[in-house]
Amino acid sequence: MTGFASAQGGNEGYRWTWDMRSVNAKGLDLRLRLPDWVGGLEQAIRAELSARIKRGNISLNLRVNREAGAEALPIDPTALEAALIGIATVERAAQSHGLTLRQTSAAEVLAMRGVQQAGQADDDTAPLLKALMADLPALIDAFNTMRAREGAALTAVLNDQIAEIARLTSDAAGLADRRLDAMAEALRANLSRVMENTDGADPDRVAQELALIAVKADIREELDRLRAHVDAARELLTTDGPVGRKLDFLMQEFNREANTLCSKSQSTDLTRIGLDLKAVIDQMREQVQNVE
């Protein structure tokens, strides 16, 4: 989900600069800083971004200025004063903490909400809105291209982690098969010991209880589900479209089976494999947070 893109453009007597970046998030969170005097701009940009991006914390900044020689928008003295007071307050607070901030430019002050008055120098911002929206798709294309490059590298990492989960699952299956005879012998010994020390107990009932213990120690279902989750994860990584939330859910299922395997292991070697599984799954879950 991480990405960055910037662009510049101009038309209709204006120049503008785009800056777009994102970090991972559970859903789609759009944070826009736009000139509020362009009617309909925010709604149009939100709709375009929502149609092409499904997950991530997206920050988009747009600065629009009049070209040299063009008629400037009038300035609202009250809003300008409030903006300057706000900047001075922030600078004093920073100095009190030993911080020195970069000097705010005049262009940045003019871009602050309400400083320039819309509707007096130019009542019709529709042509500017049209020009800006025509410029936006190229910015999103560049943004998504960068995310795609990072996604390709991330896919390789995730495939390696899935392969490690598959290997550990196979190792656990081998250990489980080898411990069957030992478990059977232990159950027979336990049954004999119980019967010798339980006067009047129903042998069938005792045998049923011991059989129940054996079932609870059986990890074949957990191993089957782990294999199924591995296949599902591999399929998702080859699927077009957003898969991050599905992978996130799959990580919970992976972790559940690894926990159950550890609780049922009754074997040092199986417990070690279960802990290794949990470590790989946890690493993979961190990476999945970056997948749209």
Side-chain angles (χ1 to χ4, degrees):
M1 282 182 283
T2 57
F4 172 80
S6 63
Q8 295 181 343
N11 202 348
E12 301 296 334
Y14 294 92
R15 296 295 302 174
W16 57 78
T17 301
W18 300 93
D19 182 302
M20 184 175 177
R21 62 190 70 220
S22 72
V23 294
N24 61 319
K26 289 185 178 181
L28 179 62
D29 182 13
L30 300 178
R31 303 183 180 185
L32 311 180
R33 294 182 61 189
L34 310 170
D36 60 351
W37 47 270
V38 182
L41 180 61
E42 180 170 348
Q43 298 91 322
I45 288 180
R46 283 187 179 276
E48 184 74 13
L49 292 177
S50 298
R52 300 190 57 186
I53 301 170
K54 300 305 179 184
R55 198 179 186 205
N57 187 327
I58 311 295
S59 297
L60 185 145
N61 297 329
L62 171 63
R63 294 185 296 277
V64 180
N65 297 300
R66 284 274 184 169
E67 289 184 323
E71 183 182 358
L73 289 173
I75 294 174
D76 183 337
T78 302
L80 176 60
E81 182 69 16
L84 294 176
I85 290 173
I87 292 171
T89 301
V90 172
E91 290 178 344
R92 285 196 300 271
Q95 290 174 359
S96 69
H97 288 81
L99 301 175
T100 301
L101 302 181
R102 177 180 61 83
Q103 185 173 3
T104 305
S105 69
E108 290 171 329
V109 174
L110 288 174
M112 295 177 72
R113 184 179 295 273
V115 171
Q116 288 186 301
Q117 295 176 324
Q120 294 184 20
D122 188 357
D123 288 331
D124 186 10
T125 59
L128 175 59
L129 172 62
K130 183 177 179 180
L132 289 170
M133 293 309 298
D135 204 33
L136 180 59
L139 176 76
I140 299 176
D141 287 342
F143 175 76
N144 282 335
T145 296
M146 179 179 179
R147 293 206 306 164
R149 285 198 297 267
E150 293 202 7
L154 184 57
T155 298
V157 173
L158 292 174
N159 275 320
D160 288 344
Q161 291 168 334
I162 292 171
E164 180 65 7
I165 292 173
R167 184 189 69 78
L168 289 169
T169 301
S170 178
D171 290 348
L175 283 174
D177 290 340
R178 289 195 293 273
R179 75 170 185 162
L180 288 178
D181 291 339
M183 286 184 60
E185 181 60 34
L187 283 172
R188 283 193 292 268
N190 289 336
L191 176 59
S192 176
R193 193 158 47 248
V194 168
M195 295 304 298
E196 289 174 357
N197 295 279
T198 308
D199 294 334
D202 182 358
D204 291 338
R205 179 61 179 171
V206 174
Q208 288 174 2
E209 292 297 327
L210 290 172
L212 184 60
I213 293 173
V215 169
K216 289 182 178 180
D218 189 357
I219 63 170
R220 283 176 294 185
E221 286 189 14
E222 286 71 28
L223 295 176
D224 287 342
R225 283 193 289 267
L226 281 169
R227 294 187 189 99
H229 296 338
V230 164
D231 291 340
R234 284 173 170 160
E235 183 178 354
L236 284 174
L237 289 180
T238 61
T239 300
D240 292 332
V243 296
R245 291 185 179 181
K246 292 180 180 179
L247 282 171
D248 211 9
F249 172 76
L250 202 54
M251 292 304 99
Q252 299 175 37
E253 297 302 305
F254 268 125
N255 197 55
R256 181 178 292 110
E257 303 307 333
N259 283 334
T260 307
L261 188 149
C262 287
S263 66
K264 285 186 173 183
S265 68
Q266 298 182 5
S267 161
T268 302
D269 290 337
L270 269 177
T271 298
R272 176 184 54 78
I273 289 177
L275 293 175
D276 288 345
L277 270 171
K278 285 172 62 66
V280 177
I281 292 166
D282 192 55
Q283 293 169 3
M284 187 174 176
R285 181 166 50 189
E286 291 183 7
Q287 297 292 350
V288 164
Q289 301 309 308
N290 292 307
V291 178
E292 180 180 273

